[in-house]
Amino acid sequence: MKLIIAVIKPFKLDEVREALTSVGVRGMMVSEIKGFGAQSGHTEVYRGAEYVVNFVPKLRLEIVVPDDLAEQVVATIARTAKTDKIGDGKIFTLDVEGALRVRTGETNDDAL
Ligand SMILES: Nc1ncnc2c1ncn2[C@@H]1O[C@H](COP(=O)(O)OP(=O)(O)OP(=O)(O)O)[C@@H](O)[C@H]1O
Ligand SMILES: [Mg+2]
């Protein structure tokens, strides 16, 4: 299994979620975060406001998927989150050791 951590622009959430469910993603975590990337200290526009501070509001998505779905999930997020402007986000992929569905006791791929 892989854990895909994606940082996206908040207004892209619905589009990204819909695209991911259509490729077979069955669950995800979403957190409101603030962050900065390569333009730290410069301005980035968010909802019409220019942020001159270092931190810009973003959403962090965490998605655990079977190995064979990971590449497609990354490609889907990359395609749907892209606006071609700075701050479009980043996607990280990590290995996952285990998963457990609490209600049923199913493990690993079956638990996703
Ligand atoms: N190296 C990193 N490690 C962890 N989080 C990061 C990293 N780089 C970016 N992020 C997170 O992703 C968000 C968006 O990054 P961003 O898209 O601005 O990256 P960038 O490298 O500046 O690319 P761009 O030039 O397209 O803006 C940041 O606000 C931060 O939350
Ligand atoms: Mg940036």
Side-chain angles (χ1 to χ4, degrees):
M1 294 165 289
K2 300 288 186 194
L3 166 61
I4 294 155
I5 301 175
V7 183
I8 65 167
K9 289 179 169 168
F11 78 93
K12 282 288 189 178
L13 179 62
D14 286 343
E15 196 182 333
V16 170
R17 182 188 51 78
E18 276 167 33
L20 287 177
T21 50
S22 73
V23 302
V25 168
R26 296 205 266 178
M28 73 170 73
M29 300 183 233
V30 183
S31 314
E32 294 181 356
I33 62 147
K34 290 179 181 177
F36 67 87
Q39 292 81 19
S40 142
H42 293 78
T43 56
E44 183 176 327
V45 175
Y46 171 71
R47 291 196 166 169
E50 277 200 358
Y51 280 73
V52 288
V53 291
N54 288 345
F55 293 101
V56 181
K58 301 285 176 187
L59 293 182
R60 171 189 168 124
L61 310 182
E62 291 164 85
I63 305 149
V64 179
V65 294
D67 286 338
D68 60 7
L69 195 58
E71 223 172 284
Q72 199 182 356
V73 165
V74 171
T76 300
I77 297 169
R79 192 182 67 247
T80 51
K82 191 174 168 75
T83 69
D84 288 318
K85 298 206 171 71
I86 59 168
D88 273 354
K90 241 161 237 191
I91 306 170
F92 305 101
T93 305
L94 293 74
D95 287 320
V96 172
E97 295 231 345
L100 170 70
R101 176 177 279 128
V102 170
R103 176 175 60 86
T104 59
E106 291 163 292
T107 58
N108 298 339
D109 284 6
D110 292 334
L112 302 179

